[in-house]
Amino acid sequence: MIGVSKLYCGTVEPSDVLRYGRKSKALPSHLLQFSEDKRPVIVWNVTRACNLSCLHCYASATAGKAPDELSPEEALVLVRSLTGYGAPVILFSGGEPLMRPDIFRLIGEAVNGGSRAVLSTNGLLLDARTTARLAGIGLSYVGISLDGLEERHDAMRGRPGAFGEALRAVDTALDAGLKVGLRLTLTKSNLHDLEGVFDLMAARRIPRACFYHLVDTGAGANLADEFLSHAETRVAVSRIADLTRKMFENGLRPEILTVDNHADGPFLCLKMRSEGRDADADRALELLRLNGGSSSGNGIGCVSWNGDVHPDQFWRSVVLGNIRERPFPAIWNDPSDRLLAALRDKKSHLTGRCRECRHLEICGGGLRARAAHATGDDWAPDPACYLTDAEIGREGATLAAGIWRSGHWHDYAQIQAEGLAAPPAGSLGDHQGLQPGLPPLPSRSPGLTRARRAGPGRSG
């Protein structure tokens, strides 16, 4: 995770992290990404069952539970094993986790065992009774999926009215006193909804949002025409940062994060330098060094509904073991597992531009699952890295793809052609409905269709 509000808006200083000794059990939740001991945050897909059919479901969920789903007794053994191991956070996901009958008992067991319990849900089952019960057993946070405004969200989720139901769930959870956040996966179809999503957050005083880069795993592999280009990703991340800053300028202080593309960290530092904010960029770089970048197989792990253990929730093709055969700590600490050992010493295994990158210590080599799915090579460069050869310090590179300067996004090809001429007319003000000072978005995607999807999907 890349903390946009932490890095770009300066809500955290390196000294804030060091004050707690960088121990995961001592750090507040908003500083957990900077822990030194790297006890893994566990994403637990407690069920494959889901009440929606989502186009981008990484878990390829189904309407009913999987026949090999962990029993209530096995699930209790697992949660006690995770808390005993010192997992600082257990994220209960799915499918739709609230469809699992014993979910409240599992969350309560996690809290009683000393872990923070977090819930990822589509919101359809979050009524007043459920939110009150979750608050009562000590749930730390609930993330509710919202894939844009109404048209985009309902199309992505395969259910008319899903947008309204998600907003009802947000309001209900806030009324119950739960910490609530939004979870949005970036696609071509919802880029134009970013400003509306931030407006919605401001109106409802939603304190947190995570913007996920789409990963080509599960059902997401069928969405080739919804993946952002590198240029679109740069605009999207820059726009998220600017919209976050506008909220701060308006007196709101949300926690905004991007997920699954660690190039976002150095990109934000480059953006700050282009704005003349060198001191802020230096502070952000120190925080990124404390974070260490992508931590699949080290600071994050995943357990599936059937007990399979994965390096993270997107690398489901890699099974490290199964908790029915060995307890989680034995799997996670197995000295004979060559992949786990390599993931904890990535610098000596990465190849290509990742290995040569000046930002390797703060990026960590990107998302290994994405590289493996795209190339068949676990150590190939992450194809979603949008930093240019010049920005990563590659020998012989002299120009980056673009620079944010004087309130405008400049393309270097244009800069070369026009000799640093003014940006094209229409790149500010009312262009495509944007506010002054924000980068223009690409043309609107023709939109999502259900025909692009093969098989069922999931929310959360």
Side-chain angles (χ1 to χ4, degrees):
M1 287 186 169
I2 300 299
V4 176
S5 45
K6 297 181 182 73
L7 302 177
Y8 192 69
C9 298
T11 62
V12 170
E13 297 286 341
S15 59
D16 297 332
V17 180
L18 299 174
R19 187 182 311 130
Y20 293 93
R22 299 186 64 196
K23 301 301 181 185
S24 57
K25 283 292 186 180
L27 285 166
S29 59
H30 72 288
L31 298 179
L32 190 58
Q33 61 188 279
F34 304 111
S35 66
E36 187 175 37
D37 50 354
K38 291 296 182 189
R39 288 293 188 184
V41 170
I42 301 299
V43 178
W44 182 7
N45 301 104
V46 295
T47 185
R48 198 175 185 180
C50 189
N51 49 4
L52 286 181
S53 179
C54 302
L55 290 168
H56 58 330
C57 174
Y58 71 80
S60 297
T62 54
K65 73 175 187 178
D68 56 352
E69 183 172 296
L70 295 178
S71 69
E73 295 75 22
E74 290 173 321
L76 273 179
V77 170
L78 172 59
V79 75
R80 289 167 181 164
S81 174
L82 295 176
T83 59
Y85 183 58
V89 176
I90 301 176
L91 190 159
F92 294 85
S93 187
E96 170 50 54
L98 290 174
M99 291 183 69
R100 184 170 173 119
D102 58 346
I103 187 65
F104 300 101
R105 185 180 183 188
L106 297 177
I107 291 172
E109 192 71 25
V111 174
N112 292 337
S115 296
R116 299 181 183 101
V118 172
L119 183 72
S120 176
T121 175
N122 60 37
L124 266 62
L125 301 177
L126 273 183
D127 55 21
R129 182 174 177 273
T130 299
T131 52
R133 191 173 178 185
L134 290 170
I137 59 177
L139 185 75
S140 293
Y141 170 77
V142 55
I144 298 174
S145 297
L146 197 75
D147 292 307
L149 300 181
E150 185 170 8
E151 179 185 354
R152 253 70 60 192
H153 180 81
D154 288 358
M156 184 70 81
R157 299 276 152 180
R159 176 178 173 131
F163 178 77
E165 292 174 287
L167 292 189
R168 174 198 53 75
V170 167
D171 294 339
T172 302
L174 288 170
D175 289 343
L178 289 170
K179 182 179 179 181
V180 179
L182 302 181
R183 303 173 66 255
L184 184 147
T185 300
L186 294 166
T187 65
K188 288 182 183 288
S189 292
N190 64 21
L191 275 189
H192 289 267
D193 288 351
L194 287 176
E195 185 173 341
V197 169
F198 274 85
D199 288 344
L200 187 153
M201 287 185 66
R204 283 178 157 77
R205 298 297 194 268
I206 300 171
R208 192 175 194 262
C210 296
F211 294 87
Y212 288 74
H213 293 267
L214 184 59
V215 182
D216 59 341
T217 185
N222 301 316
L223 290 179
D225 51 354
E226 286 294 334
F227 281 85
L228 303 185
S229 68
H230 288 179
E232 289 167 340
T233 303
R234 295 171 76 95
V235 172
V237 175
S238 185
R239 185 152 176 74
I240 289 168
D242 288 324
L243 289 167
T244 302
R245 193 171 187 179
K246 281 184 65 66
M247 288 189 75
F248 274 72
E249 290 170 352
N250 291 329
L252 302 175
R253 295 176 62 85
E255 183 182 12
I256 304 296
L257 305 102
T258 62
V259 189
D260 301 327
N261 194 333
H262 281 77
D264 294 349
F267 177 77
L268 288 174
C269 293
L270 291 167
K271 175 174 164 64
M272 284 185 273
R273 293 202 190 283
S274 75
E275 297 166 345
R277 299 170 55 196
D278 287 342
D280 291 339
D282 290 341
R283 173 193 52 78
L285 275 172
E286 182 58 29
L287 286 170
L288 288 167
R289 290 189 185 99
L290 291 173
N291 175 276
S294 177
S295 60
S296 297
N298 190 21
I300 188 167
C302 175
V303 182
S304 279
W305 48 83
N306 65 349
D308 282 345
V309 177
H310 312 283
D312 63 51
Q313 69 269 40
F314 299 107
W315 211 351
R316 310 183 81 81
S317 60
V318 172
V319 178
L320 303 170
N322 188 286
I323 62 96
R324 284 177 166 136
E325 300 167 359
R326 290 186 295 165
F328 178 86
I331 296 171
W332 204 248
N333 295 329
D334 186 349
S336 68
D337 193 301
R338 291 188 294 176
L339 178 60
L340 280 180
L343 286 171
R344 295 161 191 175
D345 181 31
K346 286 180 289 192
K347 290 183 180 180
S348 58
H349 295 85
L350 291 165
T351 63
R353 66 197 311 269
C354 274
R355 190 183 186 97
E356 302 169 29
C357 180
R358 72 171 75 174
H359 306 297
L360 180 55
E361 68 170 325
I362 63 175
C363 169
L367 191 65
R368 293 295 88 214
R370 187 186 282 119
H373 293 156
T375 69
D377 180 355
D378 294 346
W379 305 107
D382 183 344
C385 176
Y386 52 90
L387 299 177
T388 66
D389 284 352
E391 288 167 337
I392 70 170
R394 205 169 192 186
E395 185 177 354
T398 56
L399 289 177
I403 187 169
W404 184 250
R405 177 179 159 198
S406 303
H408 304 266
W409 186 260
H410 296 263
D411 180 79
Y412 259 116
Q414 178 189 7
I415 290 171
Q416 285 181 296
E418 300 181 14
L420 294 178
S427 64
L428 288 178
D430 293 332
H431 177 66
Q432 296 182 336
L434 302 183
Q435 299 177 11
L438 297 179
L441 292 172
S443 299
R444 187 182 295 276
S445 163
L448 295 164
T449 62
R450 303 305 294 174
R452 291 179 188 159
R453 168 90 209 327
R458 81 132 182 105
S459 78

